[in-house]
Amino acid sequence: MSIPNKKVVNGWAMYDWANSVYNLVITTTFFPIYYLGVTRSKFGGDDVVFFGKTLKNSVLYDYVLSAAYLIIAISLPILSSIADTRGNKKNFLRFFCYIGSFACASLFFFTDNRPLEPGMLSVMLAAIGFWGGLVFYNSYLPEIVVPEYQDRVSARGFSFGYMGSVLMQLIGFALVSLHPFGITDGEAVRITFLLVGIWWFGFAQITFKRLPASKPAISEHTGSVFKDGFIELKKVYAQVRVMPVLKRFLRAFFFYSMGVQTVMMVAVIFASVELKMESTKLIICVVLIQLVAILGAWGMARLSGRFGNFKVLIATVLLWIGVCINAYFITTETQFYILAMAVGLVMGGIQSLSRSTYAKLIPETRDTASFFSYYDVTEKMAIAIGVFSFGYIEHMTNNMRTSVLVLIGFFTIGLIWLFSALQKQRRLANGKPQAPAFENRA
């Protein structure tokens, strides 16, 4: 059965194509490797000075990202409520897109002969632009397709993202490997950062052109945008409180997201520090992860149609726990390659299926941005705590492997809440008491 309204759906998915280059090139591969090299060159080792305070470079990186996610978590509930009440979520999506893309492009100026602080500010703003826009992007999902297509459309978005980011990754890899026009390795990487910003900004215009304008949830405004925003946020919170399956899912999502996002962000640094892998091998490995993730996203969407979203999510989290256990013990590059393929398989699946599961659990409403702000704030708080915990434990123990053990605990707690959500859904479906229709779709 083909997906209806393909022009709008593909336009929506193109934003994944546009912004995912940040998540791969800046967050996962080129920038972490480049950052370690620049800071070591600038400071003569792994210890850096940031606003007068001495920290290990990998720890500083974790702390800066944690601060960005905390800012997003605090601001998005209000921004999304305003977007719903005023019907201008596309404008917010455009705003965060431009912040993120220009911040990525500004990393072209991040070198060892410039101050560290402006470069880390660009890192923070790029993260804010990427994650801030996602709440408004995700909130379009229940507006453009009905529930029975949401798993497949969500998977399409992630697949577009993985394909686009791999293409940008290959362009960057070609610049670093071939040195066209006599450019150096460092210049090639910095040009790649610039191209990421241009790519994100340029392809996002397709999304902005094709997505429909959202309708305001309030037809008449009696107060300021902030007052209306708080009223909208309070209304959504009151609905979430009486939705037991949704509440349990959000708790599960909170804990397993701590593990998922942290693994994705620190994997390259872990391999570089603990296994001493060369940057070229790491880049190739991450490209393979993205390709496997495409299969994971589509495969999980198909499995969810047969077994149900919660059962597939439970199996996926169990696989993540296995990944973390193995990560603690790996010592060779071959072991890392095998583990990376496993990460790719479960990475695409859990992200895509989590988004579509939440879209199915929320009620039919115009307040989609407000509802998705709960989803995204849950994820951002999880990332902030997860990445900060990883960096803090490494800082205290001087051992990155010890931090991996904490991730196992996060996944385990998430697994328990997923079981709880599944059991609650079954009880409600059996009439004890009868569940609202929207809580039986996952």
Side-chain angles (χ1 to χ4, degrees), residues 147-186:
E148 52 264 36
Y149 291 103
Q150 286 168 5
D151 288 341
R152 292 174 60 188
V153 171
S154 181
R156 174 172 293 196
F158 275 103
S159 297
F160 272 39
Y162 292 134
M163 289 186 288
S165 58
V166 166
L167 182 57
M168 184 70 250
Q169 181 90 334
L170 292 175
I171 293 172
F173 187 66
L175 290 174
V176 173
S177 302
L178 302 178
H179 302 103
F181 310 109
I183 61 176
T184 64
D185 283 348

Side-chain angles (χ1 to χ4, degrees), residues 6 49 77 103 112 195 254 335 401 442:
K6 280 191 175 181
V49 179
D112 58 4
L195 291 176
F254 175 75
Q335 291 172 334
R401 291 179 186 268

Side-chain angles (χ1 to χ4, degrees), residues 13 93 150 262 272 287 298 322 325 393:
L93 177 60
Q150 286 168 5
T262 302
S272 178
V287 169
W298 282 105
I325 292 173
I393 292 170

Side-chain angles (χ1 to χ4, degrees), residues 59-215:
V59 173
L60 172 63
Y61 186 70
D62 291 340
Y63 285 175
V64 168
L65 290 179
S66 296
Y69 304 136
L70 187 61
I71 291 171
I72 288 297
I74 293 172
S75 61
L76 274 185
I78 305 303
L79 293 178
S80 59
S81 296
I82 295 171
D84 272 336
T85 58
R86 303 286 163 164
N88 57 358
K89 68 173 68 174
K90 190 191 293 189
N91 290 337
F92 279 101
L93 177 60
R94 186 181 285 113
F95 171 75
F96 281 106
C97 168
Y98 294 165
I99 287 178
S101 58
F102 281 107
C104 288
S106 71
L107 289 173
F108 175 81
F109 303 102
F110 187 77
T111 62
D112 58 4
N113 59 4
R114 293 177 182 268
L116 179 62
E117 289 80 5
M120 300 314 292
L121 176 62
S122 292
V123 172
M124 180 182 292
L125 289 176
I128 290 173
F130 176 79
W131 293 104
L134 281 183
V135 64
F136 305 102
Y137 167 67
N138 289 339
S139 68
Y140 267 103
L141 181 59
E143 291 189 16
I144 60 175
V145 286
V146 294
E148 52 264 36
Y149 291 103
Q150 286 168 5
D151 288 341
R152 292 174 60 188
V153 171
S154 181
R156 174 172 293 196
F158 275 103
S159 297
F160 272 39
Y162 292 134
M163 289 186 288
S165 58
V166 166
L167 182 57
M168 184 70 250
Q169 181 90 334
L170 292 175
I171 293 172
F173 187 66
L175 290 174
V176 173
S177 302
L178 302 178
H179 302 103
F181 310 109
I183 61 176
T184 64
D185 283 348
E187 289 170 339
V189 174
R190 288 164 50 220
I191 291 172
T192 302
F193 299 155
L194 179 62
L195 291 176
V196 166
I198 295 172
W199 178 292
W200 186 354
F201 178 91
F203 282 110
Q205 304 310 311
I206 299 174
T207 301
F208 301 147
K209 182 178 180 180
R210 293 189 181 181
L211 281 182
S214 54
K215 297 180 180 180

Side-chain angles (χ1 to χ4, degrees), residues 22 247 385:
Y22 158 81
K247 284 195 301 183
I385 295 172

Side-chain angles (χ1 to χ4, degrees), residues 236-299:
V236 172
Y237 176 69
Q239 294 180 70
V240 171
R241 287 182 60 189
V242 297
M243 300 166 69
V245 177
L246 180 60
K247 284 195 301 183
R248 285 164 172 78
F249 169 73
L250 283 174
R251 291 166 186 168
F253 179 67
F254 175 75
F255 282 102
Y256 70 66
S257 290
M258 287 187 193
V260 172
Q261 299 296 338
T262 302
V263 169
M264 292 168 58
M265 291 176 188
V266 303
V268 169
I269 292 180
F270 177 87
S272 178
V273 172
E274 294 292 327
L275 304 180
K276 311 300 181 186
M277 287 183 66
E278 297 176 4
S279 58
T280 302
K281 293 180 179 179
L282 285 172
I283 292 171
I284 293 173
C285 184
V286 173
V287 169
L288 293 175
I289 289 175
Q290 301 301 304
L291 295 175
V292 174
I294 297 172
L295 299 176
W298 282 105

